[in-house]
Amino acid sequence: MRDEQEFIDLLYERLAELRTGAEAAMKEVLSAAGTTFQARLERDVLVAEQSGLLAAFDAGENGLCFGRLAFRDGADHHIGRIGIRRADADHTPLVIDWRAEVARPFYLATGHTPMGLRRRRHLTTKGRRVTALHDEILDLTDDERTGHEGADADAVLLAALDAARTGRMHEIVRTIQAEQDRVIRAPHRGVLVVEGGPGTGKTVVALHRAAYLLYAHREQLARRAVLVVGPNPAFLGYISEVLPSLGETGVLLATPGELFPGVTATGTDTARAAEVKGGAAMADALARFVRDQQTLPDPVIVIDHEDGELRLDAAMAEEARRRARETGLPHNLARPFFAFRVIDALTAQLADRLGADPYGGPNFLGPDDIAQLGKAVAASAGVRSAVDELWPVRTPQELVADFLADPVHLPEADADAVRRAADHVGGWTPADVPLLDEAAELLGEDDSAARAAADAEREERIAYAQGVLDLSYGSRTQEFEDRDDEDAEVLGAHDLVDAERLAERHEEADHRSAAERAAADRTWAFGHIIVDEAQELSPMAWRLLMRRCPTRSMTLVGDPAQTAEPGGCGSWETALAPYVGDRWEHVRLGVNYRTPAELMETAARVLRSAGVRCEPPRSVRSTGVPPWARRADDLTGAVADAVAREGHEDGRLAVIAPRERHAALTAVLPDASAGAAPDLTRPVVLLDPRQAKGLEFDTVIVVEPAEFGVSDLYVALTRATQRLGVVHAGVLPAGLETLSPEPAGRFT
């Protein structure tokens, strides 16, 4: 172990050198005296580079090196979270990044397929101290022994699985399994569906896939950014430290309800309203509602004008509307075409009246006269008001709010559910966000005014820059009159740069990261999107996400057996066929690393009893501790007693109960973290089944399971890594009635 400790000491010395160098470079850049635009730009770029290096060093320091590969050809490589090189002339690698191709045998090599390895070593460290070594012999002809060989090749994996939870998901770079590695390193083009039951690690595998793709396709994906979509804020908090611990901080994490900039979805819907809002029929209903905004006079609009009133009738407006719709542009962008046609028609009407020859001769007005009339008509407040009435500019928020208040184009039962949902207090709901996005697509954003203002501002900067150059040139001309010809060859500012370039140098550059810019831009096209619990997405949510990734480079993670949302697609074929047909890959993870066999069998029995046909994943371990169930008339008191008995100071306990019972349970569990975004690092948390998706705890207590749907109950029963208890006052659902009424010995 001494040689490995010496290597780790050397490694941290090198890391300290690199960190010191990065910090020194940062200070030097920040203290630079340059105040020109170019100097500021160079400073910002260097600061971003050095900040990224420091973030990677800080992220990688914990468990910096965790493996060593000894090859038959004599090559020897240490494997770690990030790659670090020596300070020699050749920059020889000290540690190979786990994502590099040469590191792959660490995850895939077996005795049957050694991939050129003699042995594989797992290093366990605590801080900077090596605490354990575990060697696997892969070349049976190699008779060298170190004393660290172990009979159990899965010892490192099982130790990680048995460790107490912390309330945050951890990376698995030390224990990536072969089936997981194949998913992580799959090509990033196209749609990859990663299906797996509870505990198969599909979420953490998807996050490691994001880290791998950013490593393998850095230039492309760092520029376009990677989006990770999770089901709720609690889940995003749970996974938030995985990618930073792998040195990747430029990824945007968001829930579906956070994907419309400027809108925070804090409201709630009834299950029925969410289902209707998420249905595919909403796209057509909204499109028809937008067309409803393009109205006609009934029968005529009379407009006061200085040269006599103008009459805009239905026929004129109908022709203008037809021509505007033929452009195929969104509503707001097609509006100018409608306005142009209306103005042309009213101008012709006015010209006919003013230029008419009383004796039937030709019109007295020439082209210039008619052009002047057109300008006057266009400037008329009455004409502008008429255009606004017939073809108003709408925002997505205005349009969706009006639609929800009067949801025409929906069947009456659906309209009634949505109309009632619109009366709720709490603002926009997650189901509203795809509607807002759809409305934004249908409306378009008329940014002509903003572009005109920006152009005017730019012209003003150029004019100012030209004035500066003119002053410089005038001053220099006077100086040249007093100098000889040789001095006159000296270049001035106007010789080196024109006014336009000088103005550009003083424009403010956008130094936000790609992820930060993407979060503020609804039209941003991501380089890759990862969606967790993808089976829960509604058809409208799929439309939103597909717009965010025109290249269809996506990793979709989920389990149809856990579909709980009424509007969820459930079937991958149903969700993907409208966008990619059958051009997608499907991988299923079949090994459960989280849930012990005793608990998994209970969950599977519940599914079978409910008639759900699916193959639960196979658990890799058994704890010997069966789940228990206790009936109690005083439900809240029994839950409090169970928490006091089952809680463990080094682990995490979750109480998973129907949302309607949270208020009563909070009263008897004052120390439990609860709410929309509970603190999962607290010893006890109170959740509903939807919040618990994707999470794991040492111990779980399920409350009144008969009030859960089948999929929600399946989720709740598969969150524990060690112990599971059920507290109930009512009848137990089928599949749970055989549970032992007495808890086994307390977990220690």
Side-chain angles (χ1 to χ4, degrees):
M1 190 178 294
R2 180 181 300 175
D3 61 335
E4 295 293 5
Q5 184 62 62
E6 291 175 352
F7 175 80
I8 294 296
D9 292 340
L10 172 65
L11 186 58
Y12 277 100
E13 288 177 8
R14 177 58 181 151
L15 183 65
E17 292 174 1
L18 292 170
R19 180 181 284 109
T20 300
E23 291 172 345
M26 179 87 78
K27 290 179 181 178
E28 181 179 352
V29 171
L30 291 174
S31 63
T35 59
T36 65
F37 175 78
Q38 183 173 352
R40 295 198 308 271
L41 178 59
E42 292 174 352
R43 178 197 65 196
D44 291 342
V45 171
L46 288 172
V47 166
E49 290 177 352
Q50 300 305 319
S51 298
L53 282 174
L54 288 171
F57 294 153
D58 292 339
E61 182 167 351
N62 182 26
L64 184 59
C65 177
F66 54 79
R68 185 173 183 175
L69 299 177
F71 289 85
R72 291 175 180 172
D73 62 6
D76 194 303
H77 299 298
H78 281 84
I79 310 299
R81 294 171 185 271
I82 58 176
I84 296 180
R85 296 181 177 272
R86 297 180 186 272
D88 56 25
D90 296 329
H91 299 290
T92 310
L94 266 175
V95 174
I96 302 294
D97 192 298
W98 67 275
R99 296 167 287 190
E101 188 64 24
V102 72
R104 201 167 191 193
F106 187 77
Y107 305 110
L108 297 183
T110 64
H112 185 265
T113 309
M115 301 179 69
L117 288 183
R118 286 192 305 111
R119 64 176 55 231
R120 172 172 49 208
R121 168 169 288 181
H122 296 265
L123 287 77
T124 302
T125 58
K126 186 174 183 180
R128 301 186 179 189
R129 184 169 59 88
V130 179
T131 58
L133 301 177
H134 181 84
D135 287 345
E136 297 177 64
I137 306 299
L138 297 173
D139 182 0
L140 300 182
T141 65
D142 183 2
D143 57 3
E144 178 187 352
R145 294 296 179 267
T146 64
H148 299 292
E149 291 79 13
D152 187 355
D154 293 327
V156 175
L157 171 63
L158 294 175
L161 297 179
D162 285 332
R165 306 298 100 175
T166 65
R168 290 287 183 267
M169 179 180 281
H170 293 293
E171 44 73 25
I172 58 169
V173 288
R174 297 176 64 239
T175 58
I176 293 172
Q177 301 300 293
E179 68 170 0
Q180 298 172 330
D181 183 80
R182 284 187 283 272
V183 172
I184 290 170
R185 297 173 190 263
H188 85 287
R189 293 289 187 184
V191 175
L192 174 66
V193 174
V194 183
E195 183 179 323
T200 53
K202 55 188 180 294
T203 297
V204 74
V205 165
L207 294 173
H208 283 65
R209 174 163 168 75
Y212 171 76
L213 292 177
L214 284 165
Y215 172 84
H217 307 280
R218 176 75 62 188
E219 182 177 351
Q220 176 184 353
L221 295 184
R223 184 175 65 253
R224 300 308 310 161
V226 173
L227 170 66
V228 176
V229 180
N232 55 60
F235 175 84
L236 293 185
Y238 180 63
I239 69 171
S240 62
E241 295 179 3
V242 174
L243 286 166
S245 74
L246 298 173
E248 300 296 346
T249 57
V251 176
L252 177 63
L253 274 62
T255 66
E258 296 171 332
L259 292 178
F260 192 88
V263 168
T264 302
T266 57
T268 57
D269 275 315
T270 64
R272 175 60 179 153
E275 181 179 10
V276 173
K277 289 180 179 182
M282 288 296 292
D284 180 64
L286 282 172
R288 295 170 66 185
F289 190 66
V290 168
R291 291 175 70 87
D292 290 346
Q293 312 304 302
Q294 303 160 5
T295 59
L296 300 175
D298 183 22
V300 67
I301 297 177
V302 179
I303 303 169
D304 291 332
H305 190 268
E306 60 184 7
D307 292 315
E309 68 179 27
L310 302 173
R311 299 178 65 82
L312 177 58
D313 60 31
M316 295 166 59
E318 169 63 26
E319 173 63 13
R321 184 174 71 174
R322 182 183 66 80
R323 300 295 291 271
R325 286 176 174 177
E326 285 177 351
T327 66
L329 293 171
H331 173 84
N332 289 337
L333 300 184
R335 181 180 185 272
F337 293 89
F338 174 78
F340 294 154
R341 293 291 176 180
V342 167
I343 291 169
D344 285 348
L346 293 176
T347 299
Q349 181 184 109
L350 185 60
D352 287 343
R353 185 168 67 233
L354 295 179
D357 183 348
Y359 302 103
N363 194 305
F364 291 132
L365 301 179
D368 292 342
D369 299 320
I370 294 176
Q372 286 299 116
L373 287 179
K375 290 179 180 179
V377 170
S380 167
V383 173
R384 291 198 299 270
S385 176
V387 171
D388 288 340
E389 178 183 342
L390 301 178
W391 198 296
V393 173
R394 305 302 308 272
T395 68
Q397 290 89 333
E398 291 170 346
L399 186 86
V400 173
D402 288 349
F403 176 79
L404 295 179
D406 185 17
V408 294
H409 309 305
L410 289 179
E412 186 55 36
D414 292 348
D416 190 49
V418 171
R419 189 181 298 110
R420 290 180 179 177
D423 294 335
H424 72 271
V425 178
W428 297 110
T429 72
D432 292 332
V433 168
L435 305 186
L436 292 168
D437 195 73
E438 188 76 23
E441 285 292 305
L442 294 168
L443 293 173
E445 181 180 358
D446 184 0
D447 61 350
S448 57
R451 284 189 285 107
D455 290 343
E457 183 180 350
R458 183 170 180 273
E459 291 298 326
E460 185 178 343
R461 285 197 303 268
I462 293 174
Y464 177 80
Q466 186 63 57
V468 171
L469 290 176
D470 290 344
L471 287 173
S472 172
Y473 179 73
S475 174
R476 180 171 176 268
T477 300
Q478 182 62 47
E479 291 177 7
F480 286 172
E481 292 178 354
D482 302 326
R483 296 184 180 183
D484 56 30
D485 292 342
E486 184 176 348
D487 289 336
E489 294 302 319
V490 177
L491 294 176
H494 67 284
D495 297 310
L496 301 175
V497 63
D498 59 20
E500 187 171 350
R501 291 181 181 274
L502 183 60
E504 287 176 354
R505 290 187 177 184
H506 289 82
E507 292 180 6
E508 287 297 326
D510 187 350
H511 301 311
R512 294 175 298 170
S513 69
E516 290 170 332
R517 285 182 283 127
D521 185 354
R522 189 196 69 83
T523 63
W524 188 274
F526 287 92
H528 193 82
I529 293 181
I530 293 173
V531 186
D532 201 285
E533 303 294 347
Q535 78 280 351
E536 303 287 8
L537 295 181
S538 69
M540 292 300 293
W542 279 114
R543 289 174 66 87
L544 180 155
L545 285 176
M546 290 298 174
R547 291 190 195 104
R548 300 295 193 274
C549 193
T551 61
R552 305 293 189 258
S553 178
M554 310 177 83
T555 302
L556 310 177
V557 179
D559 178 14
Q562 297 184 61
T563 304
E565 295 294 339
C569 286
S571 162
W572 303 122
E573 291 81 1
T574 300
L576 298 176
Y579 308 102
V580 295
D582 59 356
R583 301 182 304 279
W584 50 279
E585 298 294 328
H586 180 270
V587 177
R588 180 168 180 82
L589 302 176
V591 179
N592 187 328
Y593 299 99
R594 175 207 302 143
T595 315
E598 296 85 354
L599 277 55
M600 196 64 229
E601 173 52 34
T602 299
R605 192 165 60 245
V606 168
L607 288 185
R608 290 193 297 269
S609 298
V612 177
R613 301 179 62 183
C614 75
E615 184 64 30
R618 174 180 56 84
S619 296
V620 299
R621 75 197 217 287
S622 172
T623 61
V625 181
W628 54 267
R630 171 173 293 177
R631 186 184 183 283
D633 294 330
D634 179 9
L635 190 68
T636 56
V639 171
D641 290 343
V643 169
R645 182 182 63 253
E646 297 288 342
H648 188 266
E649 60 183 9
D650 294 330
R652 298 294 180 272
L653 182 149
V655 176
I656 303 179
R659 172 62 61 178
E660 296 74 19
R661 295 187 177 271
H662 280 208
L665 290 171
T666 300
V668 298
L669 300 172
D671 296 329
S673 179
D679 181 359
L680 300 177
T681 65
R682 295 274 292 275
V684 179
V685 296
L686 175 61
L687 306 168
D688 63 38
R690 307 292 171 87
Q691 289 179 298
K693 277 182 171 290
L695 309 183
E696 60 182 37
F697 305 90
D698 298 277
T699 303
V700 169
I701 296 173
V702 177
V703 180
E704 208 61 275
E707 297 180 7
F708 295 171
V710 174
S711 61
D712 283 343
L713 181 55
Y714 184 54
V715 169
L717 295 174
T718 54
R719 299 303 99 193
T721 65
Q722 300 291 342
R723 294 172 63 86
L724 172 67
V726 176
V727 178
H728 63 105
V731 177
L732 285 175
L736 295 182
E737 68 277 358
T738 60
L739 294 184
S740 169
E742 294 296 329
R746 184 178 180 277
F747 168 64
T748 58

